[in-house]
Amino acid sequence: MNKLYLAIMSTLLATSLTACGSSSSEEGGEITVVDATLKEASTYKNNLFCNNPSTAVEDICNIRMYQIMVEAFNNGDNNINYDVGYGTSNHKGDIQGVIDQLDYIKGLGINAIWLTPVFQSADTSTPVTPLDATGYFGEDYYKIDPHFGSEDTFRTLVDAAHAKGMYVFLDGVFGHFKSTISKTSPSYISLVSTDVCQGLGSTYTAGEGTLCADHSQEATLDFYKELAAHYITEYKIDGWRLDQAYQVPVKNWKEIREAVEEAAKNTTYTRNGETVHPLGYMVGEIWSGDSQITQYGYGSDSLPGLKSNFAFNTRYGIVKALAVEESSAYNHKGTTIQNELVNAENTYPDFAVPNYFISNHDLVRFGDLLQRGVKKKALSSGNYDSDKYWKRYRLAHTVIASLSGPITIFYGDEWGQEVPNFDVQKNEMGYYDDHVARVTGQFSGFSSDQENLKNYVSEMLKIRNNSKALSMGTMTDIGTDSNLFAVKKTYGDSEVIVVMNIQEDKQINVTFENSLFSDESAAISLKYMDLSKASCSEEEVYPAGTTYSFTLEPLGAAVFFNKL
């Protein structure tokens, strides 16, 4: 007889049981008790690539990426620092600093790293600027920035990451650069530049000291095809994150993507002791709504451009449901998340592989959005002393873990990082929303709450790695409403139920029939553990007849597995 496993992703108190390692509840506030019954509803189309078990590619759909802002992350070589930059970091980060933390990253359950641009932006004889430190306006695509390291250091990083079983992705800025850009490729193809830059649906004039790529010229396309393939074949990277992807026409993305895929087929390296090909994954950044992501990134079935793009609308749905977005808008309902997922299904082409996330270097961190929500009186509490802060962070990570396809965690979000006192709108304390998240990384010395969240994220990612239903399964709504976000994920005979109470003032008594799983045996036993702690004892509970009943405390979540 199969056992049904219940993993407690946040604070779940079952009748007569105390969930081990759960957080303490805050005093005060009136709690309303409501009842909910889980049942299947035809809400999701499951038409996207990673929701379709017959066509899903496990390696792509199971990417668990860690975004690293190189200039801020970690100082591994104190002789090559930029010492300037945007945001609150010490601006001393480099490639050696990433190498030094590979064991920490791998320990999180991560299997891929994305480095913000490491191409040369300024040589060591040139005065540097904060913009140089970001890497997003380079001057030589074929050199590693000496403030980050050397070509040998970069090669060491890629080889070391591969040896630990992790993919490596570079940040490709193929639309804009410094006016001092080196325009000739190793095969003598000339990049054509222009001061008329492509924006989202309009053009703009390049800023002082910068230029943009003229993608109307065939030579520019050939230059970037060679460049994108070069890092695959020469350094064995696994693909690209593509900055402001709307600056490159979809038809050009198709050719660049195919050049990368071809280079990956003809290249091998040793990963985790096995000979493999580079993954050849490419994901675009189009900071806009679903229709524009489709228009400028995915393209169409007849002209497919990038097959993966970051799911910005879904991200905004998650933060609006659990915190506030940067504008302080919010809608604290489970349907807020659901609606964005449905909209994406209805807008994206079927080959689309959305990449899900809650923070990046251009957005306000989730923790700071919680602080902003308190200031704007959208949330009752959210600071580091608040139990609700940590529960909401866990819920945000739980949503991401529940969606099929690649996921990305911005460094520091695994332990709840925020910028102290940044609960305000831009420039009130000298920082702006689009760069305040660029903080110095932290890898030890965590508080108990930070350590608990980090352990929770690590356990969650490891469970996701072991559950194809989570990373590449179909999704069925089973009771999402104003209080709950509730879905069932299915891949073959593997089934997972995820139930989240997103309200901080409601206790929800939840029931569901065994028939919600394929195995309807009335004797199925439940095992549960509290994943907010590094270790926890397990206990078994049994259904009453054919029905399971459990209680979700405010901001609690439960995940049931029929197998792991």
Side-chain angles (χ1 to χ4, degrees):
M1 155 172 55
N2 291 332
K3 290 184 177 181
L4 188 65
Y5 293 89
L6 168 58
I8 307 303
M9 290 298 210
S10 186
T11 303
L12 169 62
L13 300 179
T15 304
S16 76
L17 294 172
T18 300
C20 50
S22 59
S23 301
S24 59
S25 299
E26 291 183 316
E27 298 294 330
E30 184 175 345
I31 303 298
T32 302
V33 179
V34 298
D35 298 325
T37 301
L38 305 183
K39 60 181 67 175
E40 293 189 3
S42 300
T43 303
Y44 300 107
K45 294 168 64 176
N46 289 299
N47 57 309
L48 301 184
F49 186 81
C50 289
N51 288 116
N52 187 338
S54 66
T55 61
V57 176
E58 182 176 355
D59 288 344
I60 295 291
C61 298
N62 195 26
I63 289 174
R64 305 179 304 281
M65 188 184 297
Y66 192 69
Q67 184 197 351
I68 295 169
M69 191 83 193
V70 177
E71 66 89 11
F73 184 65
N74 188 45
N75 182 8
D77 184 345
N78 206 42
N79 296 313
I80 58 172
N81 303 327
Y82 258 107
D83 289 323
V84 299
Y86 298 113
T88 64
S89 84
N90 58 25
H91 312 300
K92 296 180 181 295
D94 50 47
I95 294 170
Q96 184 60 51
V98 180
I99 296 172
D100 293 345
Q101 297 303 330
L102 286 178
D103 285 338
Y104 169 86
I105 297 168
K106 180 178 174 63
L108 296 173
I110 293 292
N111 71 348
I113 57 174
W114 149 29
L115 306 179
T116 54
V118 295
F119 310 125
Q120 179 175 301
S121 295
D123 63 36
T124 53
S125 65
T126 304
V128 296
T129 69
L131 191 63
D132 292 333
T134 69
Y136 282 101
F137 282 87
E139 65 177 10
D140 194 328
Y141 285 113
Y142 287 93
K143 292 181 180 178
I144 299 299
D145 194 297
H147 300 87
F148 294 150
S150 66
E151 283 73 18
D152 287 342
T153 311
F154 177 64
R155 196 183 303 275
T156 297
L157 167 60
V158 176
D159 292 345
H162 285 163
K164 295 179 184 296
M166 289 186 284
Y167 303 112
V168 179
F169 300 102
L170 281 185
D171 207 320
V173 191
F174 294 173
H176 56 268
F177 34 74
K178 293 176 73 171
S179 57
T180 53
I181 186 73
S182 177
K183 295 182 179 179
T184 305
S185 76
S187 64
Y188 301 104
I189 298 173
S190 295
L191 169 66
V192 183
S193 63
T194 176
D195 62 358
V196 179
C197 303
Q198 181 61 51
L200 270 170
S202 62
T203 60
Y204 65 94
T205 301
E208 182 179 357
T210 72
L211 290 169
C212 286
D214 186 349
H215 279 282
S216 68
Q217 302 297 313
E218 191 72 21
T220 295
L221 172 60
D222 291 340
F223 179 93
Y224 282 112
K225 286 168 63 177
E226 180 179 344
L227 171 66
H230 170 81
Y231 278 87
I232 301 287
T233 58
E234 177 65 22
Y235 292 97
K236 312 296 193 290
I237 72 165
D238 293 281
W240 296 89
R241 178 267 185 186
L242 301 155
D243 186 62
Q244 293 185 308
Y246 52 80
Q247 293 190 313
V248 180
V250 166
K251 63 182 181 61
N252 288 24
W253 277 134
K254 179 178 184 295
E255 293 200 39
I256 296 170
R257 173 177 53 78
E258 290 172 346
V260 166
E261 292 169 349
E262 183 66 22
K265 288 179 183 178
N266 296 320
T267 304
T268 60
Y269 68 80
T270 301
R271 178 176 179 265
N272 215 15
E274 298 182 5
T275 300
V276 298
H277 296 281
L279 199 55
Y281 172 70
M282 301 176 73
V283 55
E285 180 227 20
I286 298 174
W287 191 353
S288 190
D290 292 334
S291 60
Q292 288 188 306
I293 290 173
T294 298
Q295 178 181 354
Y296 294 100
Y298 287 121
S300 62
D301 289 330
S302 60
L303 184 61
L306 296 171
K307 294 188 174 181
S308 184
N309 290 277
F310 286 107
F312 276 88
N313 269 23
T314 303
R315 180 267 179 183
Y316 282 110
I318 293 169
V319 300
K320 283 194 294 186
L322 298 174
V324 299
E325 64 175 55
E326 281 75 0
S327 68
S328 298
Y330 65 93
N331 189 9
H332 297 153
K333 297 180 180 179
T335 50
T336 304
I337 304 170
Q338 180 189 74
N339 290 341
E340 295 299 346
L341 294 171
V342 171
N343 288 340
E345 287 184 322
N346 290 333
T347 307
Y348 297 157
D350 290 355
F351 62 76
V353 182
N355 189 310
Y356 299 104
F357 67 104
I358 57 173
S359 300
N360 67 26
H361 62 290
D362 287 326
L363 295 165
V364 179
R365 286 184 180 271
F366 185 76
D368 293 306
L369 293 178
L370 291 176
Q371 313 290 21
R372 186 168 294 180
V374 174
K375 180 172 183 178
K376 298 296 182 179
K377 304 189 185 308
L379 301 172
S380 63
S381 60
N383 58 52
Y384 264 16
D385 297 325
S386 166
D387 190 46
K388 294 174 185 176
Y389 177 94
W390 303 103
K391 290 178 181 178
R392 289 183 181 278
Y393 236 125
R394 287 199 291 271
L395 289 183
H397 282 296
T398 303
V399 177
I400 296 299
S402 304
L403 303 178
S404 291
I407 61 175
T408 298
I409 294 176
F410 187 42
Y411 76 100
D413 272 358
E414 74 273 14
W415 57 266
Q417 190 165 39
E418 53 117 20
V419 178
N421 303 314
F422 193 73
D423 57 357
V424 291
Q425 291 293 335
K426 63 183 182 180
N427 211 31
E428 289 185 43
M429 59 181 293
Y431 303 121
Y432 287 83
D433 281 3
D434 63 350
H435 60 61
V436 71
R438 305 174 188 203
V439 299
T440 301
Q442 182 176 329
F443 317 103
S444 61
F446 300 114
S447 71
S448 60
D449 285 324
Q450 294 166 348
E451 188 74 29
N452 288 341
L453 178 61
K454 182 173 69 70
N455 290 336
Y456 166 76
V457 171
S458 176
E459 192 67 29
M460 175 196 67
L461 292 178
K462 291 171 184 175
I463 288 176
R464 179 182 169 88
N465 183 46
N466 292 328
S467 173
K468 292 183 179 180
L470 284 177
S471 64
M472 50 194 289
T474 57
M475 186 158 65
T476 304
D477 177 62
I478 55 171
T480 297
D481 57 17
S482 60
N483 300 319
L484 295 177
F485 177 73
V487 296
K488 182 175 80 169
K489 299 293 299 297
T490 304
Y491 184 90
D493 62 354
S494 175
E495 297 175 305
V496 182
I497 285 177
V498 182
V499 191
M500 296 178 9
N501 176 7
I502 68 171
Q503 302 300 330
E504 63 179 40
D505 60 353
K506 292 181 180 177
Q507 175 184 294
I508 304 178
N509 298 322
V510 185
T511 62
F512 67 89
E513 295 289 327
N514 284 353
S515 58
L516 206 55
F517 283 92
S518 297
D519 184 349
E520 300 182 25
S521 170
I524 294 175
S525 63
L526 295 179
K527 281 191 175 180
Y528 76 96
M529 57 183 176
D530 184 349
L531 298 182
S532 67
K533 296 295 184 181
S535 61
C536 183
S537 61
E538 295 181 348
E539 297 185 46
E540 292 188 353
V541 293
Y542 293 86
T546 62
T547 303
Y548 280 104
S549 298
F550 61 98
T551 299
L552 281 177
E553 296 298 317
L555 303 176
V559 179
F560 297 78
F561 300 83
N562 70 334
K563 57 176 59 181
L564 282 175

